[in-house]
Amino acid sequence: MNIPKTSFPRVVIIGGGFAGLAAVKGLKNQEIQVVLIDKNNYHTFQPLLYQVATGGLEPDSVAYPLRKVMKNLPNFYFRLAEVSKVDTEKRKIHTNIGKLKYDYLIIAAGSTTNYFGNTNIEKYSMAMKDVPQSLNLRSLIIENFEDALLTKDLEQRNALMNFVIVGGGPTGVELAGALAEMKKGILPNDYPDLDIRQMQINIVQGSNRLLKAMSEKASEKAEDFLIELGVNVWKNTHVTNYNGYNVETNTELSFEASTLIWAAGVKGATIGGLGQECVIERAARIRVDEFNAVKTHKNVFAIGDIACMETSHYPKGHPMMAQPAMQQGKQLAKNIIAQLENKPMIPYAYKSKGSMATIGRNKAVVDLKKIRFQGVFAWFVWMFVHLLSLIGFRNKAVVFFNWVYNYIRFDRETRLIIRPFKKKNKESF
Amino acid sequence: MNIPKTSFPRVVIIGGGFAGLAAVKGLKNQEIQVVLIDKNNYHTFQPLLYQVATGGLEPDSVAYPLRKVMKNLPNFYFRLAEVSKVDTEKRKIHTNIGKLKYDYLIIAAGSTTNYFGNTNIEKYSMAMKDVPQSLNLRSLIIENFEDALLTKDLEQRNALMNFVIVGGGPTGVELAGALAEMKKGILPNDYPDLDIRQMQINIVQGSNRLLKAMSEKASEKAEDFLIELGVNVWKNTHVTNYNGYNVETNTELSFEASTLIWAAGVKGATIGGLGQECVIERAARIRVDEFNAVKTHKNVFAIGDIACMETSHYPKGHPMMAQPAMQQGKQLAKNIIAQLENKPMIPYAYKSKGSMATIGRNKAVVDLKKIRFQGVFAWFVWMFVHLLSLIGFRNKAVVFFNWVYNYIRFDRETRLIIRPFKKKNKESF
C-alpha cells in the first residue's frame, strides 16, 4: 500500500465506526502518522438505520464520508480496503490492496450479525447492520405490499403482510415500532385496495422482557407502547428455523411470514492472524487488557464492539454499543500519545451515560444514571441526543427537517424501491 | 390484473413521468376510472439526475412515490408493472402481472438511451436516464479516484481520472460542469495524496455548437463557462467506438478513459403490438395526430417523449423534454373528458416557455421567448424554476437546503459508495 514513510510512528486504525473515529480525533495534531482503513468510504450511524429501512430517512443522512473526516489533517491517510489478517510478527496487516506496516495497530472493525450457526436463518432472513442491508429491507417491505395486492391466494397475502422481528433489543423494538407506524399512517393511504388491518408485526424475544439491558420500568413501558401500536410481543421464545415462509420457534408458536428480520445477536467482525488465545470464540471478540491492548501484543489494540475487556462489573465485556466504543477510542488515543511521551497509560473505565430507545411518535424510554422517564419527554430527549450525535451539520439539518416534516404530516416520503431486492436476491416467496 | 370493474370508462396510462402525471392530474374528479402503470413506484425528476450522479443530491430528493400522487383519489389505481405489448383488437395491454382491458389507452412510456446500434458503447459506457444509473455513475466516479490512488501505472491513473462525456445537450453540459466543480472544490480535499490536476473532463459534441436547441448566444456562453471551468470542449466530433479504455472518434482525436458517459441520444421506449405503420423507426417514437391519437386507433394515445407529432414547425416531432410532455398530458386529459361529453377535441399546439441549462456555480444560460440572459441571474432563475417543478414540499425543501448548503460551503456531502459499481459490473478497467 503506497503510504509515504516518515520519521513519525505509524498508527493504523482498522474501521471508521464510533470507536475508530474517536481514535482518529484523539490522535490529531501529534507527531504521528495515522492510516484509517475501512471497507466503506463512509461512517455509518447505525442507531438510525431502522429509519432508513422504514422510509423515514435517506441513507445519505446517516452516513458520512470518511475522507471528509480526515480533510486538512496532514499525515492522516484513508484507504478503502478490506483487511484479511494481521501479521503480528512482521507488524503488518494484509488487505485486498496490499500489505501495510504498522507501529501501532488499532482494531476497531466492529461487529456483524450473529446467526449462531443457523444457516437457514442466515440465508432467508434480513439483517439491518449496514446501509445496503437497510435499503434492501426498505425495498422488500414495499415489494411485499405490491405483491400482496396482486395475489389472489389469501394465505400468501397474509404471509406477505406478516413481519417477524427476532430480537427485543433496541434495534428490534425500534424497527417494530416504525413498522407499526407505517401500518397506521402510511400504508392504508398507499394501498387503499388492500386490507392493511391484515398486516401483522411480531417481535420475538428470547428472555422474559424486551430491552433487557435497560431498567425493568423501561422494558415494561416499551412493551406497553408496542402493544398500544398493535405489535404482537412474544417473550421467552426462540426462533429456531426459517425457510423463507415458515417461522418455527421452540414453543408451539409458529408463523407464516415472507419477512423475518434477524436482530437477535451480534458478534465481532473476523480479523485473522491474532491467534486463538486472543479471541473469545463464542462472541468472536478480541480479549484485551485494561488499556485495550491485545493481551499478547503490546502494540496491538482492539476497541469498540470487537474488543472484550473482562472486568468485575462486566465479566463478559462491555455492551456492544456506541458509548464504550467512543470512550475507548478516545482513551486509547491518549494512551498511545502517553506511551510515545514515556508517560504512564491510564486504564479504561466505562462511564455509562445511560441508554434509551424510541418506540414511535411521542413514545420513548430513557434510563439515565439517576433518573428514568418514558413517553413524550423521553422521545424529545432521544431525538435531541441522536441529532447531536450525527456527524456533520448537513446531516443534522436534513434529519431534523425530515423528523419535523414526518411529525407534522404523519408521513414518510422516501418509500421508493430504488433497487428492487426480491427479484434479484430471492428465489421464491 | 385485479382492478375492479365499474360502470365508468377505464383510462389506462402507461408511465408516471411528466406526461403521464399531467394526464393523471387532468382526469381527477371525473366519472372515469384511471389506472396508472409504471415499472418503478416513483416519478423521476430527470433534469436533476446529474446532481445525484455528482453527489449534490440524494436520490430520494428527485424521486416521488407514485402511490402518494394517487392518494385519496377514488377510482384511481396504481400498479407496479412492465408493459410488454398492446393488443389494440381486444383493447388490452399485456404486462408481467397480467392483462388489463382499457377503454382509453395513454402511452407515456418516455424514452431510453439511444446507442444507434453501437453495442460496444452500450456495453462499456454509463448512462444517466434513471435513478439507479445515476447512482451507479456516482459510485464509479468515486471508485475511480480510490483506484487512481492505488495504481503505480501512470497511464492507468490518468485513464481513471479521464472523463469523456458524449453529447453536448443539457445533460452533457450540466454533467461536465458538475464534474468540473468536483475537481475544483472537493476532490483535492478528499485526495490530498493524488494530483487532481491530472483529472480531465472532455465533452464531445457532434455538431458545431453545444446546446444546439438553444440560441447561439446561449451555446457560446455555455462553452465559455465550461472552458473557464477547465472542461475540454470538442465540437464537430463523433465518438465511434469504446472498449472500456480507448475512446475512438471520427477524427484524429482519441482518449484513454475509464469512464465514458453517453448522453448523445434518446429514443422512444419500446411498446410492442402497435404495428409498423404507427412507429417511426429511426427514433422509435409513436406517430400521433394533432390530438395525440395514434393514427390508426381512435382510443389509443401517445404523449411525451414517446409521441411524435409531425407539425409544420416541428417536422420531426416536438423536442423530447418535460414541457411538451406536460402540456400534452394536460391537453389529452381535457380531450378525453370532452370526447366523453360529446364535445369537440382541441388540437395540441406547443407553447414553448423557453429553455435553460446550468453549467455551474453562478453560471447558467436562459432563453425565454423574448429575452435571453446568462450568468448569475440566469443561474438563480434556473434554480427557482427547477425547485418549483419538483413534486412535493419535502423534496423542494430538502433540495433547497442542499443547494444553499453546497453554495455556502463549496461542498457536496453525499459522496458515498453505497453500492459499489465497478466490482460487480465491469470485468476490468
Side-chain angles (χ1 to χ4, degrees):
Chain A
M1 215 182 292
N2 53 348
I3 305 282
K5 277 174 201 150
T6 62
S7 57
F8 297 159
R10 178 185 288 163
V11 180
V12 174
I13 303 172
I14 304 173
F18 289 115
L21 282 196
V24 167
K25 271 188 209 164
L27 294 169
K28 272 184 195 174
N29 307 318
Q30 300 292 327
E31 295 200 328
I32 297 175
Q33 186 189 60
V34 173
V35 182
L36 174 65
I37 292 174
D38 199 293
K39 63 181 174 187
N40 292 315
N41 76 337
Y42 52 87
H43 165 82
T44 305
F45 191 78
Q46 288 181 339
L48 290 180
L49 284 176
Y50 81 95
Q51 296 204 6
V52 173
T54 51
L57 289 176
E58 294 89 348
D60 310 67
S61 303
V62 303
Y64 194 84
L66 287 173
R67 290 201 171 274
K68 192 157 170 171
V69 175
M70 318 284 275
K71 187 174 145 181
N72 299 328
L73 295 177
N75 293 317
F76 278 59
Y77 295 85
F78 172 75
R79 286 295 179 271
L80 185 65
E82 279 185 68
V83 176
S84 52
K85 73 167 195 173
V86 179
D87 182 344
T88 50
E89 292 257 312
K90 294 189 179 150
R91 304 191 161 195
K92 273 185 182 176
I93 57 163
H94 294 225
T95 79
N96 62 330
I97 60 167
K99 298 173 193 175
L100 183 67
K101 234 176 137 39
Y102 61 79
D103 296 303
Y104 294 91
L105 178 65
I106 303 178
I107 303 172
S111 56
T112 63
T113 306
N114 195 348
Y115 298 98
F116 304 102
N118 193 318
T119 50
N120 273 346
I121 291 179
E122 184 166 357
K123 185 170 173 193
Y124 292 108
S125 73
M126 307 294 290
M128 213 175 57
K129 280 285 288 176
D130 58 33
V131 174
Q133 284 177 350
S134 308
L135 288 173
N136 284 342
L137 181 54
R138 180 203 282 192
S139 288
L140 180 63
I141 293 168
I142 308 171
E143 287 172 270
N144 278 345
F145 284 96
E146 292 294 338
D147 286 354
L149 201 58
L150 298 179
T151 183
K152 282 166 188 165
D153 180 335
L154 267 185
E155 268 187 31
Q156 208 202 347
R157 181 180 294 168
N158 286 339
L160 283 163
M161 294 203 281
N162 194 0
F163 295 83
V164 178
I165 298 162
V166 190
T171 304
V173 166
E174 295 183 331
L175 182 63
L179 279 173
E181 296 211 318
M182 282 185 89
K183 177 179 174 179
K184 229 168 109 184
I186 291 157
L187 296 168
N189 282 324
D190 270 6
Y191 300 91
D193 34 352
L194 202 61
D195 186 357
I196 297 293
R197 288 171 302 182
Q198 302 296 321
M199 177 182 179
Q200 297 289 321
I201 302 146
N202 296 287
I203 183 165
V204 182
Q205 164 74 325
S207 67
N208 64 350
R209 60 182 179 103
L210 301 172
L211 302 175
K212 66 177 175 183
M214 294 185 68
S215 65
E216 289 199 22
K217 179 76 194 155
S219 298
E220 216 173 89
K221 204 67 197 169
E223 188 175 335
D224 288 352
F225 284 148
L226 282 177
I227 290 168
E228 207 179 294
L229 282 167
V231 174
N232 309 317
V233 180
W234 311 95
K235 290 179 291 186
N236 298 310
T237 309
H238 290 272
V239 167
T240 52
N241 211 349
Y242 181 56
N243 62 5
Y245 196 87
N246 300 95
V247 184
E248 291 168 32
T249 72
N250 64 337
T251 71
E252 282 183 5
L253 184 72
S254 69
F255 307 95
E256 293 185 346
S258 298
T259 314
L260 183 98
I261 298 134
W262 186 257
V266 286
K267 60 178 180 183
T270 313
I271 296 281
L274 276 182
Q276 278 192 320
E277 70 282 10
C278 307
V279 180
I280 295 162
E281 211 179 271
R282 196 185 46 84
R285 293 172 86 181
I286 299 168
R287 195 172 267 133
V288 293
D289 67 16
E290 68 270 37
F291 306 107
N292 280 96
V294 177
K295 292 196 168 175
T296 45
H297 310 283
K298 285 292 154 223
N299 63 337
V300 179
F301 302 87
I303 52 176
D305 280 6
I306 204 173
C308 183
M309 189 187 290
E310 292 151 320
T311 64
S312 52
H313 266 81
Y314 297 95
K316 289 180 177 176
H318 297 106
M320 293 161 88
M321 282 166 43
Q323 279 182 62
M326 288 191 281
Q327 290 173 12
Q328 288 175 4
K330 196 175 167 186
Q331 177 83 56
L332 176 57
K334 280 184 194 163
N335 279 339
I336 288 178
I337 295 165
Q339 220 179 311
L340 289 169
E341 294 171 347
N342 287 316
K343 291 182 189 158
M345 301 206 292
I346 298 158
Y348 171 70
Y350 179 33
K351 289 167 211 79
S352 173
K353 291 182 186 162
S355 56
M356 48 183 77
T358 189
I359 294 92
R361 190 184 184 78
N362 298 333
K363 293 181 179 70
V365 293
V366 173
D367 285 358
L368 297 184
K369 223 169 178 179
K370 289 185 183 163
I371 180 171
R372 286 161 188 171
F373 47 99
Q374 301 88 25
V376 180
F377 181 65
W379 190 67
F380 278 102
V381 169
W382 180 93
M383 287 207 293
F384 182 74
V385 167
H386 281 77
L387 264 187
L388 284 194
S389 313
L390 275 170
I391 302 181
F393 172 71
R394 199 202 70 95
N395 285 1
K396 286 188 179 70
V398 171
V399 169
F400 179 69
F401 171 78
N402 274 299
W403 283 353
V404 170
Y405 179 86
N406 295 348
Y407 187 76
I408 295 170
R409 302 280 292 255
F410 288 83
D411 199 2
R412 295 187 204 148
E413 285 241 344
T414 60
R415 47 190 186 276
L416 318 170
I417 309 172
I418 301 278
R419 313 259 191 189
F421 173 73
K422 206 183 275 189
K423 267 190 214 161
K424 270 192 209 160
N425 296 279
K426 299 259 157 161
E427 303 87 14
S428 66
F429 270 80
Chain B
M1 215 183 293
N2 53 347
I3 304 283
K5 277 176 200 147
T6 62
S7 57
F8 298 158
R10 178 185 289 164
V11 179
V12 174
I13 303 171
I14 304 173
F18 289 116
L21 283 195
V24 166
K25 270 188 209 164
L27 293 169
K28 273 182 194 173
N29 306 319
Q30 301 291 328
E31 295 200 328
I32 297 174
Q33 188 189 59
V34 173
V35 182
L36 174 65
I37 292 175
D38 199 291
K39 63 183 174 186
N40 293 313
N41 76 336
Y42 53 87
H43 165 81
T44 306
F45 191 77
Q46 289 181 340
L48 290 179
L49 284 177
Y50 80 96
Q51 296 206 4
V52 173
T54 52
L57 289 176
E58 294 90 347
D60 310 66
S61 304
V62 303
Y64 193 84
L66 286 172
R67 289 201 172 275
K68 192 158 168 170
V69 175
M70 317 286 275
K71 186 175 145 181
N72 298 329
L73 295 176
N75 294 317
F76 279 59
Y77 296 84
F78 172 74
R79 287 294 179 273
L80 185 64
E82 279 186 67
V83 177
S84 52
K85 72 168 197 174
V86 178
D87 182 344
T88 50
E89 291 257 314
K90 291 187 179 154
R91 302 189 163 198
K92 273 185 181 174
I93 56 163
H94 295 228
T95 79
N96 62 329
I97 60 166
K99 297 175 193 173
L100 183 68
K101 233 175 135 42
Y102 60 80
D103 296 304
Y104 295 90
L105 178 65
I106 302 177
I107 303 173
S111 55
T112 63
T113 305
N114 194 349
Y115 298 97
F116 303 103
N118 194 319
T119 49
N120 272 346
I121 291 179
E122 183 166 0
K123 185 170 173 192
Y124 292 108
S125 72
M126 306 294 289
M128 214 176 56
K129 281 286 287 177
D130 58 33
V131 174
Q133 284 178 351
S134 309
L135 288 173
N136 284 343
L137 181 54
R138 179 202 284 193
S139 289
L140 179 64
I141 293 168
I142 308 170
E143 287 173 271
N144 278 345
F145 285 95
E146 293 294 337
D147 286 353
L149 201 59
L150 299 179
T151 183
K152 282 165 186 165
D153 180 335
L154 267 184
E155 268 186 32
Q156 209 200 349
R157 182 180 294 166
N158 286 338
L160 284 163
M161 296 203 278
N162 194 359
F163 295 83
V164 178
I165 298 162
V166 190
T171 306
V173 166
E174 295 183 330
L175 181 63
L179 280 172
E181 298 211 315
M182 283 185 88
K183 177 180 173 178
K184 230 170 110 183
I186 293 156
L187 295 168
N189 282 324
D190 270 7
Y191 300 91
D193 35 352
L194 202 62
D195 185 356
I196 296 292
R197 288 171 301 180
Q198 303 296 322
M199 176 181 178
Q200 296 290 320
I201 302 146
N202 297 286
I203 182 164
V204 183
Q205 164 73 325
S207 68
N208 64 349
R209 60 184 180 104
L210 301 171
L211 301 175
K212 65 178 176 183
M214 293 186 70
S215 65
E216 289 199 20
K217 180 75 192 160
S219 299
E220 218 172 274
K221 205 67 196 170
E223 188 175 335
D224 289 350
F225 284 148
L226 283 177
I227 291 168
E228 205 178 299
L229 283 167
V231 174
N232 309 317
V233 180
W234 309 95
K235 292 179 291 187
N236 298 309
T237 310
H238 291 271
V239 167
T240 51
N241 212 350
Y242 181 56
N243 63 3
Y245 195 87
N246 300 96
V247 184
E248 292 169 31
T249 72
N250 64 337
T251 72
E252 282 182 4
L253 183 74
S254 67
F255 307 95
E256 293 185 347
S258 298
T259 314
L260 183 98
I261 299 135
W262 187 256
V266 287
K267 60 179 179 182
T270 312
I271 295 282
L274 275 183
Q276 280 192 318
E277 70 282 9
C278 307
V279 180
I280 295 162
E281 211 181 88
R282 197 185 44 85
R285 294 173 84 182
I286 299 169
R287 194 171 269 134
V288 294
D289 67 15
E290 69 270 35
F291 306 107
N292 280 96
V294 176
K295 291 197 169 178
T296 44
H297 309 283
K298 285 292 154 224
N299 63 336
V300 179
F301 303 87
I303 51 177
D305 281 6
I306 203 173
C308 182
M309 189 188 291
E310 292 150 319
T311 65
S312 51
H313 267 81
Y314 297 95
K316 288 177 177 178
H318 297 107
M320 292 162 89
M321 283 165 44
Q323 279 181 60
M326 288 192 280
Q327 290 173 12
Q328 287 174 4
K330 194 175 168 188
Q331 177 82 57
L332 176 57
K334 279 184 194 164
N335 279 339
I336 288 178
I337 295 166
Q339 219 179 314
L340 289 168
E341 292 172 347
N342 288 316
K343 290 180 191 162
M345 302 206 290
I346 296 158
Y348 171 69
Y350 178 35
K351 288 167 213 81
S352 172
K353 290 181 187 164
S355 55
M356 49 184 76
T358 191
I359 293 93
R361 192 183 183 77
N362 299 332
K363 292 181 181 68
V365 292
V366 174
D367 285 358
L368 298 185
K369 223 170 178 178
K370 288 184 183 161
I371 180 171
R372 286 159 190 174
F373 47 99
Q374 301 87 27
V376 181
F377 181 64
W379 189 67
F380 279 102
V381 169
W382 181 92
M383 287 206 293
F384 182 75
V385 167
H386 282 77
L387 265 185
L388 284 193
S389 312
L390 276 170
I391 303 180
F393 171 72
R394 199 202 69 96
N395 284 2
K396 285 187 180 70
V398 171
V399 169
F400 179 70
F401 171 78
N402 274 300
W403 284 352
V404 170
Y405 178 86
N406 295 348
Y407 188 76
I408 296 171
R409 302 279 292 255
F410 287 83
D411 199 2
R412 295 189 204 147
E413 287 241 346
T414 59
R415 46 190 186 276
L416 319 169
I417 309 173
I418 301 279
R419 313 258 190 190
F421 173 73
K422 209 183 271 189
K423 269 191 214 161
K424 270 192 209 160
N425 296 279
K426 300 259 157 160
E427 302 87 12
S428 67
F429 270 80

